[in-house]
Amino acid sequence: QTVVTQEPSFSVSPGGTVTLTCGLSSGSVSATYYPSWYQQTPGQAPRTLIYSTNTRSSGVPDRFSGSILGNKAALTITGAQADDESDYYCVLYMGSGISVFGGGTKLTVL
Amino acid sequence: EVQLLESGGGLEQPGGSLRLSCAASGFTFSSYAMSWVRQAPGKGLEWVSTISGSSGGTFYADSVKGRFTISRDNSKNTVHLQMNSLRAEDTAVYYCAKMGYGSGWFREGYDYWGQGTLVTVSS
């Protein structure tokens, strides 16, 4: 069973830059996994940030960017703001119609 | 404006059944894949099932395969999730999510989400 890995938690200072990653328990993430990223605050539905590795969803500020770094997908937030404090989830497409979510990263801005 | 409105959640006993529905508007429904994603209380997101728009192919997570059935009614712009043999571990908020267009639906992730409907499985 393939597991998608994310850092359980991360903290960033206001105005700072943070990179969250999304990996595989076995193997490397590449663009063919079409990684996407979602932001969720408690009690709310997820919000789409990035799809297909690095394409920003409509209305998402360019402070959010996606990439492949080494063997992982990455979400970079520059100029972190207080309302970026959220849970962040990545999803990888495994083929044959199967998608797998990572466990999520709780981002604290302080 | 794309809108997704889930319904059908509620309290059900273990072994029982529920049928969730998601009414979609604001886009050409029949051309897009649709998915169900769930979130157990205090836990992360989990993909449950997807139905493609082009061929109507269906896909399931191992945790629900054989118990849940996804379907769509393109004449009513609605996607359903029939949930049978419910277990306590199926307790979650179930989100309906729109995916991509045509045969390459998986490339665009989930671009719109509903507000979710709560399913509680308990005796």
Side-chain angles (χ1 to χ4, degrees):
Chain A
Q1 176 99 9
T2 300
V3 175
V4 176
T5 61
Q6 294 186 248
E7 299 87 358
S9 62
F10 229 117
S11 63
V12 61
S13 300
T17 296
V18 62
T19 297
L20 311 181
T21 67
C22 176
L24 287 169
S25 55
S26 177
S28 299
V29 177
S30 66
T32 59
Y33 284 87
Y34 301 98
S36 55
W37 291 89
Y38 306 86
Q39 178 190 49
Q40 188 184 36
T41 53
Q44 299 296 314
R47 170 198 182 196
T48 306
L49 296 176
I50 301 285
Y51 63 91
S52 199
T53 304
N54 55 15
T55 304
R56 269 186 296 277
S57 188
S58 176
V60 174
D62 59 9
R63 302 188 296 104
F64 294 88
S65 63
S67 63
I68 300 291
L69 287 180
N71 62 350
K72 297 182 179 182
L75 173 71
T76 299
I77 307 171
T78 58
Q81 301 177 359
D83 61 4
D84 294 335
E85 188 161 293
S86 303
D87 295 325
Y88 291 84
Y89 295 91
C90 70
V91 177
L92 301 180
Y93 179 67
M94 301 300 185
S96 302
I98 307 299
S99 296
V100 179
F101 279 84
T105 297
K106 183 177 183 62
L107 180 67
T108 301
V109 180
L110 52 73
Chain B
E1 178 192 4
V2 172
Q3 292 191 335
L4 302 172
L5 184 60
E6 302 96 337
S7 61
L11 174 63
E12 183 56 66
Q13 294 186 341
S17 298
L18 278 174
R19 188 191 196 210
L20 305 184
S21 298
C22 171
S25 61
F27 62 101
T28 307
F29 179 76
S30 60
S31 297
Y32 289 84
M34 299 294 296
S35 288
W36 290 94
V37 175
R38 69 184 180 183
Q39 187 168 36
K43 303 296 185 182
L45 299 170
E46 178 189 15
W47 171 73
V48 173
S49 182
T50 297
I51 184 166
S52 71
S54 52
S55 65
T58 57
F59 311 95
Y60 299 94
D62 286 345
S63 57
V64 306
K65 197 174 297 182
R67 300 187 300 122
F68 290 12
T69 302
I70 192 171
S71 61
R72 64 191 300 154
D73 184 341
N74 289 336
S75 68
K76 296 182 179 178
N77 288 3
T78 302
V79 60
H80 303 285
L81 185 68
Q82 177 67 44
M83 304 188 297
N84 298 332
S85 302
L86 283 164
R87 306 167 179 167
E89 54 264 37
D90 296 320
T91 294
V93 173
Y94 284 73
Y95 294 102
C96 170
K98 173 182 171 289
M99 298 193 78
Y101 176 90
S103 60
W105 55 265
F106 48 86
R107 298 190 182 106
E108 298 171 28
Y110 310 90
D111 57 357
Y112 288 93
W113 299 73
Q115 285 304 304
T117 186
L118 176 62
V119 171
T120 303
V121 183
S122 174
S123 54

